[in-house]
Amino acid sequence: MRPLTEEETKTMFEKLSKYIGENIKLLVDRPDGTYCFRLQNDRVYYMSEKILKLATNISRDKLVSVGTCFGKFTKTTKFRLHITALDFLAPYAKFKVWVKPGAEQSYLYGNHVLKSGLGRITENTNQYQGVVVYSMADVPLGFGVAAKSTQECRRVDPMSIVVFHQADVGEYIRNEDTLT
Amino acid sequence: MAACSVEALLAKAEQEEAEKLKSISVQKELDLEFDIGNLLACDKNRIDLREFREQKKEDFLRSLARDNTQLLINEIWKQPTERVQEAIVVKLPDPATPLPREKPPPKAKPPTKWEQFAKLKGIQKKKKTNLVWDETAKEWKRRWGYKRAKDDTKEWLIEVPETADPNEDQFAKRVKAKTERVAKNEYNRLKNIARAQKGKVPVMGLATSTQQSKEELSLAVSVAKTSTASAGRFQDRLPKEKAPKNMGKKRKFEPLIGDFSNERHKQLELLKLMDGKKPKLDITKAVNKQMREEDREEAAAKYKKRAGKKGRKGGNMSGKGKGKGGKGGKGKGGKAGGGGGGGGGKRRGKPGKH
């Protein structure tokens, strides 16, 4: 386990800011305790310092996971956000998309969101903006990228994709072995 | 009376002339030795001590000096003269007296590496001609230097050898080889000089006096920093200088449980920097907002005209109020949302006024 270097921190913050914008400050600087990011086996974990201190007692080869995994750095040093970060993205999300009950299941199986399944979308969403996907009951389902801006969404035909799927909570079952 | 005065005048004139001549000609027992090239005159006549003591010493010396100077000037006038812009100039002969050295003679330089090798092997220097006959240009060209005879960088056609990569630039390859040879030669020259002066020459690439790029300068700085007894561990850094990047194979990371507040501070600084880089005004958003407002104003104007024509049918608002569902977007979104909300409110107010 080791702390992130400057470049790694920068890459990760850039990725996170696509979804939560300047609310990253609230993750870094929390009133209820010091939380930090640490890297283990190319994966970034977010944990409180208490857990960190306990984790130092476990040897590197035996340590599987600490705190919550936000994502991992690929071999070409790009940062990939995992579904396990949803708990921290959902409350701070800037742009949200609500999905109709009929299309929920489709999304949870890994498909993109079509215009026919779109319930609500925050105003002034840009195209290719990072969005968090909710069900109509305000339950976070996952996150993705807006394929069309809000204005365009209004005019486009019902069978076109409006949100590209990136991660959904169904992955907890589908990709059980790869998530840490 | 007049005859007396004339005689007296004549006598006086004669006397003056004699004096003048006396002033030009000087009688000496021995002739002086002259070295006109150095403007030197050596007087070997004995000095009469009695005369020296009789007269005032200064006067004696002055008259002696005047006589010798007169003789020297007489000698100078004997040389060939020429006229240069209203001044008469004498052409001096070469100096005859050898003068001693002002500074000590130079020490012998230690032989360069090639000279040592040549001496060892018994290689003699062969005299070569400066010009070489160039068959293709049909003229005499230098053996080396500007526009030399066999300059392989100036070939207009180079055959690509069988073993070479077809996409390789052969011309650039030759030019590069030439620059490398020049740099190597320069480096060896500096090493020879350093050996002669028992100095030290830094590693290839750092001793250049030409303009160095930012990367070369930073490399030179890092090399200088680490060239201390403790390999640069206790060297002070400038206020805004970053910690040196570890150029070796082992990567260095921050400690696992370091200073948390420091870590937080650094991350917040980084976030601030990232925020600073993002443009505050999103051009497309601003343009869209402007367009939307203009559209709304046009629509409002049309509505007013229609209302005026048909007469007032109650301030029924046309269904433009689709509603800006869920104003979630803060920040950049908020500006447009706020503008839109303000515009809508204004519109709602107007029919009421009518």
Side-chain angles (χ1 to χ4, degrees), chain A residues 2 28-29 38 124 126 154, chain B residues 256 263 267 285 322 333:
Chain A
R2 63 166 174 86
V28 170
D29 204 1
R38 289 292 181 265
N124 297 324
N126 297 323
R154 294 200 184 113
Chain B
L256 180 57
E263 194 184 325
Q267 285 176 342
K285 272 208 155 86
K322 206 176 177 178

Side-chain angles (χ1 to χ4, degrees), chain B residues 58-94:
Chain B
E58 282 291 326
D59 288 339
F60 176 77
L61 289 173
R62 191 177 291 124
S63 65
L64 182 62
R66 192 222 76 85
D67 288 339
N68 286 342
T69 320
Q70 181 62 62
L71 284 171
L72 177 62
I73 289 176
N74 291 347
E75 198 59 37
I76 289 171
W77 272 109
K78 289 181 193 160
Q79 302 297 323
T81 60
E82 58 185 26
R83 209 177 176 77
V84 173
Q85 287 178 343
E86 300 172 359
I88 300 174
V89 169
V90 164
K91 194 165 170 355
L92 292 176
D94 293 328

Side-chain angles (χ1 to χ4, degrees), chain B residues 124-226:
Chain B
Q124 307 290 354
K125 246 190 154 176
K126 286 212 191 97
K127 188 90 175 149
K128 292 186 181 144
T129 57
N130 274 354
L131 300 177
V132 183
W133 177 249
D134 188 8
E135 203 45 61
T136 47
K138 296 270 191 302
E139 62 175 0
W140 288 97
K141 283 203 176 159
R142 274 168 244 238
R143 187 184 292 277
W144 55 270
Y146 180 61
K147 285 191 186 156
R148 54 184 173 276
K150 282 194 257 180
D151 190 356
D152 67 348
T153 51
K154 297 281 186 289
E155 294 257 328
W156 61 273
L157 180 79
I158 303 176
E159 283 180 20
V160 176
E162 296 249 342
T163 52
D165 174 20
N167 292 334
E168 198 184 5
D169 186 355
Q170 298 292 333
F171 299 99
K173 193 164 124 183
R174 285 202 180 173
V175 170
K176 196 156 150 248
K178 173 83 184 157
T179 50
E180 277 174 13
R181 272 178 280 146
V182 167
K184 180 169 170 286
N185 194 22
E186 180 68 20
Y187 184 61
N188 283 334
R189 184 182 76 86
L190 291 175
K191 275 222 295 224
N192 278 330
I193 293 169
R195 198 183 312 111
Q197 293 174 346
K198 301 263 183 310
K200 295 219 161 97
V201 178
V203 175
M204 180 88 165
L206 290 178
T208 50
S209 51
T210 53
Q211 289 297 349
Q212 291 178 302
S213 70
K214 193 169 153 194
E215 290 83 26
E216 286 175 20
L217 283 172
S218 58
L219 173 70
V221 164
S222 63
V223 166
K225 264 240 170 87
T226 42

Side-chain angles (χ1 to χ4, degrees), chain B residues 14 33 38 42 61 78 81 90 95 101 103 129 168 227 229 235 286 289 297 303 315 329 341-343 347:
Chain B
E14 252 190 69
E33 284 176 9
N38 282 325
C42 291
L61 289 173
K78 289 181 193 160
T81 60
V90 164
R101 290 184 75 90
K103 295 197 167 71
T129 57
E168 198 184 5
S227 314
Q235 291 297 107
K289 175 181 153 194
E297 278 171 21
Y303 177 77
R347 201 161 27 93

Side-chain angles (χ1 to χ4, degrees), chain B residues 296-329:
Chain B
R296 266 190 229 119
E297 278 171 21
E298 275 179 35
K302 258 198 233 167
Y303 177 77
K304 265 196 278 173
K305 256 204 297 184
R306 225 185 297 143
K309 270 190 198 170
K310 289 185 182 172
R312 264 175 290 127
K313 280 194 179 174
N316 233 18
M317 237 190 62
S318 56
K320 266 265 172 86
K322 206 176 177 178
K324 319 255 175 235
K327 287 204 200 137

Side-chain angles (χ1 to χ4, degrees), chain A residues 4 40 46 59 83 131 169:
Chain A
L4 282 83
Q40 164 78 354
Y46 181 66
S59 65
I83 187 60
V131 293
V169 290

